[in-house]
Amino acid sequence: MTAGTEALIRILRDGKSADRMAAAASLAALGQAALAPLLSALEDPDPRLRMWAAYTLGTIGDARAVPALMQALEDADPGAAKWAAAALRRIRDAAGGCGCRFC
């Protein structure tokens, strides 16, 4: 993890709402480079960080995050689970649906 990415993850954990939103946008702009730190953040003890990590992974839209986001659906924190579900929907929609006849 680069120092810049690490600083953005810290803001997701400890920043004010506007700062968190800006950090999420900056991490999303990094794309694949932010994937590993965000996937690790999904396992952090801080539920707020897990929630923001899920949100940001949805913004990135990389299908490699799907297994971790599927696990995050079972998060004890309802906010983290909700944003994991939203991230999965965004990734599915970006891919053109899930392949079922309804999408």
Side-chain angles (χ1 to χ4, degrees), residues 5-103:
T5 305
E6 189 174 320
L8 291 169
I9 295 288
R10 270 196 311 273
I11 293 169
L12 286 185
R13 177 184 317 211
D14 300 324
K16 296 183 192 287
S17 288
D19 295 334
R20 285 186 175 117
M21 187 59 76
S26 294
L27 286 162
L30 293 173
Q32 182 180 351
L35 197 61
L38 288 167
L39 292 172
S40 293
L42 282 179
E43 299 176 12
D44 194 86
D46 182 350
R48 187 172 298 183
L49 178 56
R50 295 192 310 268
M51 180 189 77
W52 278 100
Y55 168 82
T56 307
L57 286 165
T59 302
I60 292 172
D62 193 313
R64 289 175 291 180
V66 168
L69 289 166
M70 293 290 290
Q71 284 187 304
L73 291 173
E74 304 297 326
D75 196 294
D77 180 73
K82 173 186 137 187
W83 282 106
L88 287 166
R89 283 190 300 276
R90 277 189 90 161
I91 291 168
R92 179 200 65 203
D93 293 347
C98 68
C100 74
R101 64 188 179 119
F102 302 108
C103 291

